[in-house]
Amino acid sequence: VNRWKLIVGVDPALMNPDARKALSCPPSEQSALQFVPAGVIAYQWGACYDFKQVWERLREQAQAVPPSVEEQARQFKRRLEKRWGVKIESDILPLLGNEAGGYLTDVDTTGMFPYPRFLVFLKVKDRTKTEDLLAQLTSNPLVPILEEDHSKVKIRYAPVPLGPNMDPGYCFIGDYLVFSSTRQLLKKSIDTAADASRSLGADKTARAFGLSASDKANAAAFVRLDVFAKRLRELIDWVDKYMSSQVTAASTLRQDSEAKKEVIARVMAAKTVELTLAERKIEELKAKPASDVSQED
């Protein structure tokens, strides 16, 4: 087994202003590592996010599109805010902190379709206000929202009737708002937060790359390429099987269609003969005097 450590340097002078600003914030400890379990396939964390600036940038880019598209985007935003009963600029953006990230543990390819097992987190500035806001946003959900307490942490999730462990949800771990594609990952992160020895920061491989709660940085990423490659191969195999099934189904449908076409052609041929005979009979009847035509004819 070959182990490689790669360090990449960047030149701030060659960056665009947004990227330069994103990497110029003071380094901080990766406190989010306390609830990231060891053995994850991939992990990403950043402490220099400016969501207000991102929003302003999106608004500037929206002004460059055709007026009709811009107006549609404005109408969609107004409808969304009216439905939620909140304003993005005044109610949501002020609550968002500068830290965000997530991790990936698996991609389930045994169900109807590939389902990733991932978790994302975001540090908020006011947990109480954020909890109230989320309660307001989920007051009229498309699917029922259920609640469960796990180690004194309230988990809110929505069961999706597509397979096992397909119940996306969220909870709070400290000042971090945590979303996950499955409730089981929320529980795993809660348990990890209670036992630091089970976290990614305690993993020997991760620590060798400077991934520990005490190591300061303004961004970090970690990927287990061997496991990632295996999952990618499984995903490709699933796609191959799915495409093969679609080709088989299309071939079967085509064969059925050809068989139906042959039956319809034979019926049409028989009806054509009957029609020809009937036309000849009509001509014969027209040529006879009415008195010579039998009641049957």
Side-chain angles (χ1 to χ4, degrees), residues 39 88 101 139 184 203 217 249 286 296:
I88 295 177
S139 59
Q184 301 303 320
D203 182 82
K286 287 181 178 180
E296 181 182 356

Side-chain angles (χ1 to χ4, degrees), residues 210-230:
L211 288 178
S212 67
S214 59
D215 290 320
K216 291 186 177 182
N218 47 23
F222 178 77
V223 181
R224 297 181 189 273
L225 293 178
D226 55 344
V227 184
F228 181 79
K230 182 179 179 181

Side-chain angles (χ1 to χ4, degrees), residues 85-112:
V86 299
K87 297 291 185 180
I88 295 177
E89 291 87 348
S90 59
D91 297 328
I92 297 179
L93 293 179
L95 298 177
L96 306 182
N98 301 112
E99 283 189 49
Y103 64 81
L104 174 71
T105 62
D106 199 1
V107 179
D108 187 357
T109 57
T110 61
M112 296 174 57

Side-chain angles (χ1 to χ4, degrees), residues 140-188:
N140 295 312
L142 298 177
V143 295
I145 301 295
L146 305 181
E147 293 185 356
E148 177 183 356
D149 288 333
H150 182 76
S151 299
K152 299 182 179 180
V153 177
K154 181 180 291 186
I155 296 175
R156 304 191 73 199
Y157 65 97
V160 180
L162 296 177
N165 295 329
M166 292 188 180
D167 44 5
Y170 73 90
C171 68
F172 284 87
I173 301 179
D175 291 331
Y176 289 92
L177 173 59
V178 183
F179 293 91
S180 176
S181 62
T182 171
R183 176 170 43 117
Q184 301 303 320
L185 274 189
L186 294 175
K187 294 181 178 180
K188 193 171 185 178

Side-chain angles (χ1 to χ4, degrees), residues 2 22 38 43 72 75 88 90 98 129 132 144 162 190 216 236 263 277 292:
N2 292 322
Y43 159 77
Q72 290 177 1
Q75 292 179 0
I88 295 177
S90 59
N98 301 112
K129 289 184 178 180
D132 295 340
L162 296 177
I190 294 171
K216 291 186 177 182
I236 293 175
V263 172
L277 295 176
D292 294 341

